[in-house]
Amino acid sequence: QVALEVSGGGSVQAGGSLNLSCEASGRVYGGSYCVGWFRHALGKQREGVGIIFDGDGTTTYGDFVQGRFTVSQDKTKNTLYLKMDRLRVDDTAQYLCAAAQLSPNDCNAATLLASAYWSQGTQVIVAP
């Protein structure tokens, strides 16, 4: 059983920064796990923000990220991070982290979306 707990989030003005953390308990890090961040904005589908394969650190990002966000992990702390810079109003959403035991080839947003353990969400609000 895997449990994920998110912290961080809040409100910020456009152009600002926020950091999120996702601490995992259970067997997540150290095996072939795919972990990542998703977001769910009002009226839109859930979308992948950044996905990382635990084994080798290979990371992919949603097209909308455009170099503004960084996903990283600290295996010693079983924690996944999302550093968000140059936030825009359209980044406003509920942010969640996810984890699933997947092969490297299957570690992508679509597969993780369908098969993951999920955290609770944390709200990120970006004001104009």
Side-chain angles (χ1 to χ4, degrees), residues 16-54:
S17 298
L18 281 174
N19 297 319
L20 306 181
S21 299
C22 174
E23 185 174 358
S25 60
R27 189 179 176 183
V28 177
Y29 292 99
S32 296
Y33 269 86
C34 181
V35 293
W37 293 95
F38 287 78
R39 69 183 189 182
H40 197 171
L42 191 63
K44 296 184 178 181
Q45 290 187 328
R46 190 172 293 188
E47 61 182 349
V49 177
I51 310 297
I52 187 167
F53 180 66
D54 166 60

Side-chain angles (χ1 to χ4, degrees):
Q1 186 70 22
V2 173
L4 303 170
E5 184 170 351
V6 168
S7 59
S11 298
V12 67
Q13 286 195 308
S17 298
L18 281 174
N19 297 319
L20 306 181
S21 299
C22 174
E23 185 174 358
S25 60
R27 189 179 176 183
V28 177
Y29 292 99
S32 296
Y33 269 86
C34 181
V35 293
W37 293 95
F38 287 78
R39 69 183 189 182
H40 197 171
L42 191 63
K44 296 184 178 181
Q45 290 187 328
R46 190 172 293 188
E47 61 182 349
V49 177
I51 310 297
I52 187 167
F53 180 66
D54 166 60
D56 62 8
T58 299
T59 308
T60 58
Y61 293 94
D63 290 341
F64 61 87
V65 170
Q66 298 175 340
R68 301 178 297 127
F69 299 172
T70 304
V71 175
S72 62
Q73 58 179 345
D74 185 338
K75 294 182 183 181
T76 65
K77 296 181 179 179
N78 275 357
T79 301
L80 182 72
Y81 301 98
L82 177 63
K83 176 175 169 50
M84 300 185 288
D85 297 316
R86 292 179 280 141
L87 282 160
R88 306 185 304 220
V89 172
D90 61 0
D91 292 318
T92 295
Q94 186 181 62
Y95 284 70
L96 311 94
C97 69
Q101 194 165 14
L102 296 171
S103 69
N105 288 340
D106 289 331
C107 186
N108 54 66
T111 306
L112 190 56
L113 184 66
S115 55
Y117 294 98
W118 291 94
S119 70
Q120 84 285 5
T122 187
Q123 192 69 27
V124 169
I125 299 172
V126 184

